[in-house]
Amino acid sequence: MNCVMPYAIFTDIDGTLLNECYALPFDRAILQRAFEQHRVVFASSRTADELVHLQRRLGVSGDCIIENGGALLLRETSTAEQFATSQLFNIENDSVWIAPLVEPVENFMDDVQRETKRHNLACRFLQDLDDETLAAMSGYEQDDARRAKSRRFGILLVPNGESNARIKKLTDGLKLLDFTITFGGKWLTISRGADKGVAMKEYLGAMQKKGVLFTSVAIGNEENDLTMLEAAHKKFVIKNPTRGYASRLASVTGATLLKQDGALGWTEMLAQL
């Protein structure tokens, strides 16, 4: 008898599930059915506060990889118990567990600020922006801007007009100090080892300890999704509407390049499972 393992779909959010206006471009019922039929795990550079709010808005509830793999947001106590450092939080009247996978931002914020000053850059940190400025810069509502600033495991760097060459000097210097730098959307994420692929493996390992096995599926559109796609059994690459496929994702062995533009590729992915 063939034993078919259910799918665990690890999905990026901005540019993958949501379009450039942060909207779901297909019927919400399709997403809700996907949550009923599969294990859908949001995997994003967004914070726990943002993803709890987003799931409520979309009418779904599930586990998440937050802050580019800095931690797992878990809904079930039995899963949280697989991680010794998990803590229970109340986020917008929703009780969730957060299991850190990297060190917290307060441990290294000073180091990043010193390195930025050493290079005499005008870059700004998202956490330092007021809600109104961040909302204008990102297209968020002000409440969403506030949620985006509640970062626990990473720093989002706003280039603020600096050239790519000058930004590269900064990121090269940070890498020498053992920082992890990833690009996703409008921001650079700086952390001590946050990685969506590692977080996905940690999550699947925890589920395996509970006796639950999945066939992993990953879908994304930017460089910060690379390790997640590489680690998944099934890999899907979103076609960015104006830039096409991210070159590093398009070259992942075995990846399916979706034909629909942007987040419409998400339903195309579902049809191929």
Side-chain angles (χ1 to χ4, degrees), residues 80-134:
E81 288 173 344
Q82 307 303 317
F83 299 91
T85 56
S86 60
Q87 296 182 32
L88 188 63
F89 287 80
N90 185 294
I91 299 177
E92 299 193 8
N93 297 317
D94 207 344
S95 293
V96 297
W97 292 89
I98 294 181
L101 301 177
V102 300
E103 63 181 286
V105 68
E106 57 264 25
N107 286 11
F108 57 82
M109 185 66 165
D110 289 347
D111 293 337
V112 175
Q113 289 175 331
R114 277 194 296 270
E115 191 68 9
T116 304
K117 289 178 181 177
R118 187 174 75 83
H119 288 276
N120 194 29
L121 295 179
C123 299
R124 303 177 72 181
F125 301 113
L126 181 141
Q127 287 98 318
D128 294 337
L129 301 176
D130 61 64
D131 295 351
E132 185 176 358
T133 299
L134 178 55

Side-chain angles (χ1 to χ4, degrees), residues 43 46 78 109 114 121 156 161 187 203 229 233 241 243 256 267:
R46 292 193 183 209
S78 61
M109 185 66 165
R114 277 194 296 270
L121 295 179
L156 288 194
W187 328 104
Y203 180 82
L229 266 68
H233 294 104
R243 297 178 285 111
T256 297
T267 55

